[in-house]
PDB file of all heavy atoms in Angstrom:
ATOM      1  N   VAL A 193       2.103   9.381   5.217  1.00 89.00           N
ATOM      2  CA  VAL A 193       1.009   8.663   5.869  1.00 89.00           C
ATOM      3  C   VAL A 193       1.417   8.352   7.303  1.00 89.00           C
ATOM      4  O   VAL A 193       2.471   7.754   7.547  1.00 89.00           O
ATOM      5  CB  VAL A 193       0.673   7.363   5.112  1.00 89.00           C
ATOM      6  CG1 VAL A 193      -0.344   6.539   5.885  1.00 89.00           C
ATOM      7  CG2 VAL A 193       0.135   7.680   3.723  1.00 89.00           C
ATOM      8  N   LEU A 194       0.561   8.747   8.238  1.00 91.00           N
ATOM      9  CA  LEU A 194       0.847   8.517   9.652  1.00 91.00           C
ATOM     10  C   LEU A 194       0.019   7.376  10.238  1.00 91.00           C
ATOM     11  O   LEU A 194       0.402   6.773  11.239  1.00 91.00           O
ATOM     12  CB  LEU A 194       0.592   9.804  10.446  1.00 91.00           C
ATOM     13  CG  LEU A 194       1.417  11.027  10.006  1.00 91.00           C
ATOM     14  CD1 LEU A 194       1.022  12.255  10.811  1.00 91.00           C
ATOM     15  CD2 LEU A 194       2.910  10.743  10.154  1.00 91.00           C
ATOM     16  N   ALA A 195      -1.128   7.092   9.613  1.00 91.00           N
ATOM     17  CA  ALA A 195      -1.974   5.993  10.084  1.00 91.00           C
ATOM     18  C   ALA A 195      -2.908   5.580   8.954  1.00 91.00           C
ATOM     19  O   ALA A 195      -3.136   6.335   8.003  1.00 91.00           O
ATOM     20  CB  ALA A 195      -2.774   6.408  11.316  1.00 91.00           C
ATOM     21  N   ALA A 196      -3.433   4.360   9.050  1.00 91.00           N
ATOM     22  CA  ALA A 196      -4.396   3.861   8.073  1.00 91.00           C
ATOM     23  C   ALA A 196      -5.434   3.024   8.807  1.00 91.00           C
ATOM     24  O   ALA A 196      -5.082   2.187   9.642  1.00 91.00           O
ATOM     25  CB  ALA A 196      -3.703   3.033   7.000  1.00 91.00           C
ATOM     26  N   VAL A 197      -6.702   3.265   8.500  1.00 92.00           N
ATOM     27  CA  VAL A 197      -7.807   2.521   9.115  1.00 92.00           C
ATOM     28  C   VAL A 197      -8.479   1.702   8.028  1.00 92.00           C
ATOM     29  O   VAL A 197      -8.942   2.242   7.013  1.00 92.00           O
ATOM     30  CB  VAL A 197      -8.821   3.469   9.783  1.00 92.00           C
ATOM     31  CG1 VAL A 197      -9.989   2.668  10.356  1.00 92.00           C
ATOM     32  CG2 VAL A 197      -8.141   4.269  10.889  1.00 92.00           C
ATOM     33  N   ALA A 198      -8.566   0.411   8.243  1.00 89.00           N
ATOM     34  CA  ALA A 198      -9.158  -0.502   7.260  1.00 89.00           C
ATOM     35  C   ALA A 198     -10.521  -0.979   7.733  1.00 89.00           C
ATOM     36  O   ALA A 198     -10.764  -1.132   8.933  1.00 89.00           O
ATOM     37  CB  ALA A 198      -8.245  -1.704   7.058  1.00 89.00           C
ATOM     38  N   GLN A 199     -11.382  -1.213   6.760  1.00 85.00           N
ATOM     39  CA  GLN A 199     -12.680  -1.813   7.045  1.00 85.00           C
ATOM     40  C   GLN A 199     -12.606  -3.270   6.608  1.00 85.00           C
ATOM     41  O   GLN A 199     -12.653  -3.578   5.413  1.00 85.00           O
ATOM     42  CB  GLN A 199     -13.786  -1.067   6.297  1.00 85.00           C
ATOM     43  CG  GLN A 199     -13.942   0.376   6.755  1.00 85.00           C
ATOM     44  CD  GLN A 199     -15.091   1.090   6.074  1.00 85.00           C
ATOM     45  OE1 GLN A 199     -15.972   0.469   5.496  1.00 85.00           O
ATOM     46  NE2 GLN A 199     -15.085   2.409   6.159  1.00 85.00           N
ATOM     47  N   PRO A 200     -12.472  -4.197   7.548  1.00 75.00           N
ATOM     48  CA  PRO A 200     -12.214  -5.606   7.226  1.00 75.00           C
ATOM     49  C   PRO A 200     -13.401  -6.351   6.632  1.00 75.00           C
ATOM     50  O   PRO A 200     -13.303  -7.545   6.375  1.00 75.00           O
ATOM     51  CB  PRO A 200     -11.807  -6.196   8.582  1.00 75.00           C
ATOM     52  CG  PRO A 200     -12.452  -5.325   9.584  1.00 75.00           C
ATOM     53  CD  PRO A 200     -12.483  -3.946   8.997  1.00 75.00           C
ATOM     54  N   SER A 201     -14.510  -5.679   6.395  1.00 77.00           N
ATOM     55  CA  SER A 201     -15.660  -6.366   5.808  1.00 77.00           C
ATOM     56  C   SER A 201     -15.364  -6.816   4.380  1.00 77.00           C
ATOM     57  O   SER A 201     -15.888  -7.829   3.908  1.00 77.00           O
ATOM     58  CB  SER A 201     -16.883  -5.454   5.821  1.00 77.00           C
ATOM     59  OG  SER A 201     -16.599  -4.229   5.162  1.00 77.00           O
ATOM     60  N   GLY A 202     -14.529  -6.075   3.648  1.00 84.00           N
ATOM     61  CA  GLY A 202     -14.121  -6.471   2.304  1.00 84.00           C
ATOM     62  C   GLY A 202     -12.627  -6.686   2.268  1.00 84.00           C
ATOM     63  O   GLY A 202     -11.865  -5.879   2.799  1.00 84.00           O
ATOM     64  N   MET A 203     -12.185  -7.789   1.634  1.00 89.00           N
ATOM     65  CA  MET A 203     -10.756  -8.096   1.609  1.00 89.00           C
ATOM     66  C   MET A 203     -10.304  -8.463   0.201  1.00 89.00           C
ATOM     67  O   MET A 203     -11.100  -8.904  -0.635  1.00 89.00           O
ATOM     68  CB  MET A 203     -10.432  -9.246   2.567  1.00 89.00           C
ATOM     69  CG  MET A 203     -10.531  -8.885   4.031  1.00 89.00           C
ATOM     70  SD  MET A 203      -9.904 -10.211   5.107  1.00 89.00           S
ATOM     71  CE  MET A 203     -11.128 -11.481   4.800  1.00 89.00           C
ATOM     72  N   ARG A 204      -9.033  -8.285  -0.031  1.00 93.00           N
ATOM     73  CA  ARG A 204      -8.398  -8.707  -1.268  1.00 93.00           C
ATOM     74  C   ARG A 204      -7.030  -9.287  -0.926  1.00 93.00           C
ATOM     75  O   ARG A 204      -6.571  -9.192   0.224  1.00 93.00           O
ATOM     76  CB  ARG A 204      -8.265  -7.538  -2.237  1.00 93.00           C
ATOM     77  CG  ARG A 204      -7.409  -6.377  -1.721  1.00 93.00           C
ATOM     78  CD  ARG A 204      -7.348  -5.253  -2.729  1.00 93.00           C
ATOM     79  NE  ARG A 204      -6.587  -4.110  -2.227  1.00 93.00           N
ATOM     80  CZ  ARG A 204      -6.303  -3.029  -2.955  1.00 93.00           C
ATOM     81  NH1 ARG A 204      -6.728  -2.952  -4.205  1.00 93.00           N
ATOM     82  NH2 ARG A 204      -5.610  -2.030  -2.439  1.00 93.00           N
ATOM     83  N   LEU A 205      -6.372  -9.874  -1.927  1.00 95.00           N
ATOM     84  CA  LEU A 205      -5.054 -10.463  -1.708  1.00 95.00           C
ATOM     85  C   LEU A 205      -3.970  -9.535  -2.235  1.00 95.00           C
ATOM     86  O   LEU A 205      -4.093  -8.965  -3.326  1.00 95.00           O
ATOM     87  CB  LEU A 205      -4.948 -11.821  -2.414  1.00 95.00           C
ATOM     88  CG  LEU A 205      -5.636 -12.989  -1.722  1.00 95.00           C
ATOM     89  CD1 LEU A 205      -5.707 -14.185  -2.658  1.00 95.00           C
ATOM     90  CD2 LEU A 205      -4.895 -13.379  -0.441  1.00 95.00           C
ATOM     91  N   ALA A 206      -2.904  -9.399  -1.462  1.00 95.00           N
ATOM     92  CA  ALA A 206      -1.740  -8.614  -1.873  1.00 95.00           C
ATOM     93  C   ALA A 206      -0.587  -9.578  -2.106  1.00 95.00           C
ATOM     94  O   ALA A 206      -0.135 -10.250  -1.179  1.00 95.00           O
ATOM     95  CB  ALA A 206      -1.375  -7.593  -0.802  1.00 95.00           C
ATOM     96  N   LEU A 207      -0.142  -9.667  -3.367  1.00 96.00           N
ATOM     97  CA  LEU A 207       0.967 -10.554  -3.735  1.00 96.00           C
ATOM     98  C   LEU A 207       2.201  -9.702  -3.995  1.00 96.00           C
ATOM     99  O   LEU A 207       2.257  -8.946  -4.958  1.00 96.00           O
ATOM    100  CB  LEU A 207       0.609 -11.368  -4.977  1.00 96.00           C
ATOM    101  CG  LEU A 207       1.721 -12.249  -5.561  1.00 96.00           C
ATOM    102  CD1 LEU A 207       2.169 -13.300  -4.553  1.00 96.00           C
ATOM    103  CD2 LEU A 207       1.256 -12.914  -6.856  1.00 96.00           C
ATOM    104  N   GLU A 208       3.184  -9.827  -3.116  1.00 93.00           N
ATOM    105  CA  GLU A 208       4.422  -9.060  -3.269  1.00 93.00           C
ATOM    106  C   GLU A 208       5.378  -9.815  -4.175  1.00 93.00           C
ATOM    107  O   GLU A 208       5.680 -10.986  -3.947  1.00 93.00           O
ATOM    108  CB  GLU A 208       5.066  -8.820  -1.901  1.00 93.00           C
ATOM    109  CG  GLU A 208       6.271  -7.898  -1.946  1.00 93.00           C
ATOM    110  CD  GLU A 208       6.810  -7.571  -0.569  1.00 93.00           C
ATOM    111  OE1 GLU A 208       6.006  -7.180   0.300  1.00 93.00           O
ATOM    112  OE2 GLU A 208       8.035  -7.714  -0.357  1.00 93.00           O
ATOM    113  N   VAL A 209       5.831  -9.141  -5.219  1.00 90.00           N
ATOM    114  CA  VAL A 209       6.695  -9.766  -6.223  1.00 90.00           C
ATOM    115  C   VAL A 209       8.000  -8.986  -6.294  1.00 90.00           C
ATOM    116  O   VAL A 209       7.992  -7.774  -6.477  1.00 90.00           O
ATOM    117  CB  VAL A 209       6.031  -9.777  -7.613  1.00 90.00           C
ATOM    118  CG1 VAL A 209       6.929 -10.490  -8.618  1.00 90.00           C
ATOM    119  CG2 VAL A 209       4.667 -10.449  -7.546  1.00 90.00           C
ATOM    120  N   ALA A 210       9.114  -9.686  -6.164  1.00 80.00           N
ATOM    121  CA  ALA A 210      10.423  -9.025  -6.201  1.00 80.00           C
ATOM    122  C   ALA A 210      11.305  -9.679  -7.258  1.00 80.00           C
ATOM    123  O   ALA A 210      11.367 -10.907  -7.358  1.00 80.00           O
ATOM    124  CB  ALA A 210      11.103  -9.106  -4.837  1.00 80.00           C
ATOM    125  N   ALA A 211      11.971  -8.860  -8.062  1.00 79.00           N
ATOM    126  CA  ALA A 211      12.969  -9.319  -9.043  1.00 79.00           C
ATOM    127  C   ALA A 211      12.422 -10.386  -9.976  1.00 79.00           C
ATOM    128  O   ALA A 211      13.080 -11.386 -10.245  1.00 79.00           O
ATOM    129  CB  ALA A 211      14.216  -9.843  -8.312  1.00 79.00           C
ATOM    130  N   ASN A 212      11.213 -10.205 -10.480  1.00 85.00           N
ATOM    131  CA  ASN A 212      10.636 -11.127 -11.459  1.00 85.00           C
ATOM    132  C   ASN A 212      10.282 -10.316 -12.703  1.00 85.00           C
ATOM    133  O   ASN A 212       9.390  -9.474 -12.669  1.00 85.00           O
ATOM    134  CB  ASN A 212       9.389 -11.811 -10.897  1.00 85.00           C
ATOM    135  CG  ASN A 212       8.886 -12.925 -11.794  1.00 85.00           C
ATOM    136  OD1 ASN A 212       9.100 -12.911 -13.005  1.00 85.00           O
ATOM    137  ND2 ASN A 212       8.217 -13.903 -11.213  1.00 85.00           N
ATOM    138  N   PRO A 213      10.968 -10.576 -13.833  1.00 83.00           N
ATOM    139  CA  PRO A 213      10.696  -9.793 -15.043  1.00 83.00           C
ATOM    140  C   PRO A 213       9.276  -9.944 -15.556  1.00 83.00           C
ATOM    141  O   PRO A 213       8.795  -9.105 -16.314  1.00 83.00           O
ATOM    142  CB  PRO A 213      11.714 -10.344 -16.058  1.00 83.00           C
ATOM    143  CG  PRO A 213      12.125 -11.678 -15.523  1.00 83.00           C
ATOM    144  CD  PRO A 213      12.026 -11.578 -14.040  1.00 83.00           C
ATOM    145  N   ALA A 214       8.585 -11.015 -15.138  1.00 88.00           N
ATOM    146  CA  ALA A 214       7.210 -11.231 -15.587  1.00 88.00           C
ATOM    147  C   ALA A 214       6.246 -10.209 -14.996  1.00 88.00           C
ATOM    148  O   ALA A 214       5.135 -10.036 -15.501  1.00 88.00           O
ATOM    149  CB  ALA A 214       6.756 -12.642 -15.212  1.00 88.00           C
TER     150      ALA A 214
END
Side-chain angles (χ1 to χ4, degrees):
V193 173
L194 301 177
V197 177
Q199 296 183 17
S201 55
M203 289 188 293
R204 61 181 177 175
L205 283 168
L207 174 62
E208 187 175 310
V209 183
N212 189 333

